[in-house]
Amino acid sequence: MKSTWKAAVAMATAATLLTACAGETGSGPNEKVTLTYANWSEDQTPAMEQIAAEFQKANPNITVKVQTLPWTEYWSTLQVGAAGGTAPDAFWMLADHFREYAKGGQLLDLSDTGLDMSVYPKAVTDAYTYEGKTFALPKDFDTNGIWYNKALFDAAKVPYPDDTWTWQDAQDAAEKLTDKAKGVWGIAAPIDPQGGYYNTILQAGGQIIKADGTASDFASPASVAGLKFWTDLQAAGSSPTLKQLSDTEAVSMFENQKVAMYFSGAYWAFRFHNSPALKGKVDVAPLPQGVKRATVTSGIGNAGYAGTKHPEELKKFLAFLGGTKAAEIQAATGTVLPAYQGTQQPWLDAMPEFKLQVFIDAIEYGVPLPIAGNTAEWQGLAAEHLAPAWDGKKPVQEAAQEYQAAVDKVLAKQ
């Protein structure tokens, strides 16, 4: 009980600190206003500060303070702040958390900003629309590809992945690339929905959530096939175990050159680009094909707190975040793939060593990240129910049925 109380106090304190500088003055035409803008990425903070500075040049009466929290604290702090009236004015939002905040009336309605929403990928704008209203403006978008280590491929004399690869090609390559004596695995196979099994379920012709949003489809033959792609990699010893991936994140294992392939999103490009250890060693290719090509697509949205003291100034800032200038800054710095149509080329140019066009081309076969009911809740149950299949302790079909039942129970509450 004491530790729970301490955690609650810590979160409340963090929330207070996050918004301590939020404008306390009025917002008359000549009065100074301070807005806070929260994110979870130290890598992106410099670009966010540059964007805030550009906004302030045109709006000298509005100061924007960019504040960064670690991912491990971000959502708990935002939850406490939104419930207690101390949330930051502007903040990053993810699609799988969005509906709970929108349903709770904690997000500022941005439907009247006058922005042309057709300039963003529809999959991202749809993810931040609730009951016909827009509650977040797309900041960036992501699809998935195969990040791979060319040096490890060369050492094992395995051809690089390309757009002809099938699941079997990926699995065969992973086996050849694995060298336990050197502590190297061919691929990382964590229980990862967005970068992993969502994509293979879709590639197998399955679906994650049924069209009406009232039930999941994890136990269908196609979905089980999509899950089995990953459990087979674990069974073959081509991936670190779940325990090893728990001790060290898959992306860190890739950076440490302990795994040769990592299926994941465009958002890692900037981090890999800035890694001296990976210089000249990394590239990206399209995801392998199953029955068809598919990748989930999503993106961060810039949202505003409904309880802000300065709604008009906040809407102005959010509109700026959703505009071309902010997108161009993100692209030119290489920070992330911007969502605004026509602003992606500088992102490609910023990191020419990678075949980043892969991620833009993938939008043609992209499928929106599945959102239904309390997505964060049912998605959070995946490790509990799927881990036995990944560890080889339970048949994939059985684990999938148990996970489907758990997800459907959550969906029934909506």
Side-chain angles (χ1 to χ4, degrees):
M1 180 65 72
K2 183 181 292 185
S3 62
T4 302
W5 178 83
K6 284 183 177 179
V9 170
M11 287 190 292
T13 301
T16 301
L17 289 173
L18 190 63
T19 58
C21 296
E24 296 178 358
T25 61
S27 54
N30 298 313
E31 295 185 58
K32 301 288 187 181
V33 167
T34 298
L35 301 175
T36 49
Y37 178 34
N39 73 87
W40 59 72
S41 172
E42 289 186 2
D43 289 342
Q44 293 196 43
T45 295
M48 298 306 102
E49 290 176 340
Q50 187 177 340
I51 290 169
E54 284 295 320
F55 173 76
Q56 289 168 178
K57 286 180 185 178
N59 300 274
N61 288 336
I62 305 175
T63 298
V64 177
K65 293 197 173 183
V66 177
Q67 300 187 351
T68 304
L69 281 177
W71 171 259
T72 52
E73 298 174 17
Y74 185 86
W75 293 106
S76 58
T77 302
L78 183 60
Q79 184 179 31
V80 169
T86 59
D89 297 290
F91 46 87
W92 287 4
M93 178 54 61
L94 286 179
D96 54 1
H97 290 266
F98 165 72
R99 287 200 177 189
E100 292 308 299
Y101 284 89
K103 284 171 62 178
Q106 296 165 327
L107 302 180
L108 190 67
D109 183 2
L110 303 177
S111 303
D112 62 354
T113 56
L115 292 178
D116 177 9
M117 301 304 289
S118 69
V119 300
Y120 310 113
K122 188 175 184 300
V124 186
T125 57
D126 287 353
Y128 295 114
T129 302
Y130 179 70
E131 294 186 343
K133 297 179 180 179
T134 300
F135 289 99
L137 299 176
K139 169 186 172 293
D140 52 49
F141 78 93
D142 53 77
T143 55
N144 294 285
I146 306 173
W147 287 105
Y148 64 96
N149 187 306
K150 294 187 290 184
L152 294 177
F153 270 75
D154 291 344
K157 296 182 171 55
V158 175
Y160 299 156
D162 59 30
D163 62 1
T164 68
W165 263 31
T166 64
W167 284 6
Q168 191 63 57
D169 291 321
Q171 291 174 324
D172 290 346
E175 185 176 357
K176 293 174 184 175
L177 289 159
T178 299
D179 187 338
K180 297 291 182 64
K182 294 181 179 179
V184 173
W185 288 269
I187 194 169
I191 301 177
D192 176 11
Q194 189 168 346
Y197 63 85
Y198 280 178
N199 301 292
T200 48
I201 286 174
L202 294 168
Q203 290 162 8
Q207 54 185 341
I208 293 98
I209 300 295
K210 294 183 179 178
D212 62 4
T214 62
S216 61
D217 195 45
F218 290 105
S220 70
S223 295
V224 169
L227 293 170
K228 199 169 183 296
F229 172 84
W230 299 98
T231 61
D232 285 351
L233 288 165
Q234 283 284 348
S238 299
S239 166
T241 65
L242 286 186
K243 175 64 168 61
Q244 290 168 319
L245 289 167
S246 175
D247 292 340
T248 306
E249 286 185 312
V251 64
S252 296
M253 282 200 163
F254 182 77
E255 285 183 302
N256 295 335
Q257 302 184 72
K258 296 299 183 182
V259 296
M261 291 185 288
Y262 177 43
F263 290 18
S264 197
Y267 38 79
W268 295 120
F270 189 61
R271 178 165 164 174
F272 297 158
H273 170 74
N274 288 326
S275 171
L278 296 181
K279 191 171 182 61
K281 296 180 179 178
V282 170
D283 208 344
V284 66
L287 290 178
Q289 301 179 63
V291 174
K292 62 180 182 179
R293 286 200 182 280
T295 177
V296 291
T297 181
S298 186
I300 294 172
N302 282 305
Y305 179 44
T308 181
K309 296 177 182 178
H310 311 293
E312 295 310 312
E313 290 84 355
L314 178 55
K315 284 183 180 181
K316 184 179 288 189
F317 176 55
L318 288 168
F320 184 84
L321 289 175
T324 54
K325 186 62 178 178
E328 288 166 355
I329 289 172
Q330 290 186 101
T333 56
T335 303
V336 77
L337 179 55
Y340 200 100
Q341 184 179 353
T343 63
Q344 290 85 29
Q345 188 60 46
W347 182 73
L348 300 175
D349 296 340
M351 296 171 287
E353 71 271 30
F354 303 141
K355 298 182 184 71
L356 296 176
Q357 185 66 39
V358 162
F359 294 113
I360 296 174
D361 292 345
I363 199 69
E364 295 181 10
Y365 50 87
V367 178
L369 191 72
I371 304 296
N374 188 335
T375 306
E377 181 180 353
W378 60 256
Q379 191 168 274
L381 299 172
E384 174 188 349
H385 293 282
L386 297 180
W390 254 249
D391 287 335
K393 297 176 181 177
K394 186 175 288 187
V396 179
Q397 179 71 56
E398 184 180 344
Q401 287 173 334
E402 291 175 0
Y403 183 42
Q404 178 169 302
V407 173
D408 290 352
K409 188 175 180 180
V410 175
L411 293 176
K413 297 188 296 186
Q414 63 179 316

